[in-house]
Amino acid sequence: MSTTAPRIGVITFPGSLDDRDAQRAIRLAGGEPVALWHGSHDLDGVDALVLPGGFSYGDYLRAGALAALAPIMSEVKDAAAKGMPILGICNGFQMLVEAHLLPGGLIRNAHQQFIRRDQRLRVENASTAWTSEFEVGQEIVIPLKNADGGYTADAETLARIEGEGLIAFRYLGVNPNGSLNDIAGLANERGNVVGLMPHPEHAVEPGFGPGTPAAMRSGVDGLAFFTSAIAATVAQAA
């Protein structure tokens, strides 16, 4: 690990749109962003990983389906098994479920339209590598933008993730895409892999985030995702 700051890799796939935003969020949180490429088998010694939002491979077949088979995903799966913190944002969440690193699937929004809104969420699990700086029950606001964000799973899987506390976030106020049980994000059993449809990297800097009662565009609830991961990597190295 770097002696100055944890190194967090951001993997760029063909069609990624939010990789630079994720790199900026990591930098603002105090980490060192490391650009990684989908066609590589080298994670460059990073301490954590972000799979960013966008439309990898044009969302052909299904959103995230082709990206889940990209060369670097072999290393991502190995890293996940070893406990490395991994965050999938929107398209990255779709990759994680397609790669079977998280359960269930993501399908077309119930209203069949792309949606963009500042979305209220409730934190359901604050014991993961990416949520430790939140509190269970905390309400946050994170930008959302997707067309294939409807979370789905069979009844047995839903019962398991509910019973095991694997739901990381739920939608509040409105369910924007028809996700079952209002599920906005999930964690794996170990808590090192987290995926969610909303975009925390777009709520990390005053002047560029969601509006709050204090001021327009002042919301920075997303920053805690990245500071949580930095704390987790520091704890692992101690």
Side-chain angles (χ1 to χ4, degrees):
M1 187 175 116
S2 170
T3 58
T4 56
R7 303 174 72 248
I8 301 180
V10 179
I11 303 172
T12 296
F13 298 82
S16 293
L17 299 180
D18 299 293
D19 44 347
R20 296 297 181 90
D21 302 78
Q23 291 175 28
R24 181 170 179 79
I26 291 163
R27 190 176 294 109
L28 289 170
E32 178 187 346
V34 178
L36 301 175
W37 183 240
H38 74 113
S40 171
H41 283 287
D42 185 5
L43 296 183
D44 198 15
V46 298
D47 304 299
L49 286 168
V50 175
L51 280 61
F55 301 92
S56 59
Y57 299 93
D59 277 350
Y60 290 110
L61 286 184
R62 293 179 307 277
L66 293 178
L69 302 175
I72 203 168
M73 290 301 290
S74 297
E75 282 64 38
V76 172
K77 291 178 181 179
D78 289 344
K82 294 174 182 176
M84 179 182 288
I86 298 173
L87 177 66
I89 302 171
C90 195
N91 194 221
F93 183 18
Q94 294 160 345
M95 296 176 204
L96 291 177
V97 298
E98 290 287 346
H100 306 296
L101 291 174
L102 291 174
L106 290 151
I107 60 175
R108 195 74 175 172
N109 292 346
H111 45 69
Q112 301 296 306
Q113 294 179 342
F114 186 92
I115 188 168
R116 192 278 178 220
R117 57 178 288 122
D118 291 337
Q119 177 66 48
R120 291 171 58 217
L121 304 175
R122 182 173 64 239
V123 179
E124 300 286 345
N125 185 338
S127 301
T128 80
W130 297 92
T131 61
S132 63
E133 296 198 359
F134 295 114
E135 296 181 359
V136 172
Q138 182 176 347
E139 295 187 14
I140 61 176
V141 178
I142 302 292
L144 175 76
K145 50 175 186 172
N146 65 71
D148 298 276
Y151 181 77
T152 188
D154 59 35
E156 181 180 353
T157 299
L158 279 175
R160 179 177 69 82
I161 62 178
E162 289 278 6
E164 296 180 6
L166 302 185
I167 297 172
F169 302 94
R170 290 188 209 268
Y171 296 115
L172 278 182
V174 63
N175 183 326
N177 45 35
S179 291
L180 298 180
N181 294 22
D182 297 325
I183 293 171
L186 295 175
N188 67 348
E189 291 84 351
R190 192 169 180 174
N192 62 304
V193 178
V194 171
L196 77 164
M197 288 309 300
H199 286 259
E201 77 281 15
H202 295 324
V204 296
E205 188 173 12
F208 299 93
T212 72
M216 292 178 60
R217 302 188 181 278
S218 63
V220 293
D221 289 340
L223 193 61
F225 285 80
F226 303 96
T227 54
S228 293
I230 288 171
T233 62
V234 170
Q236 283 181 346

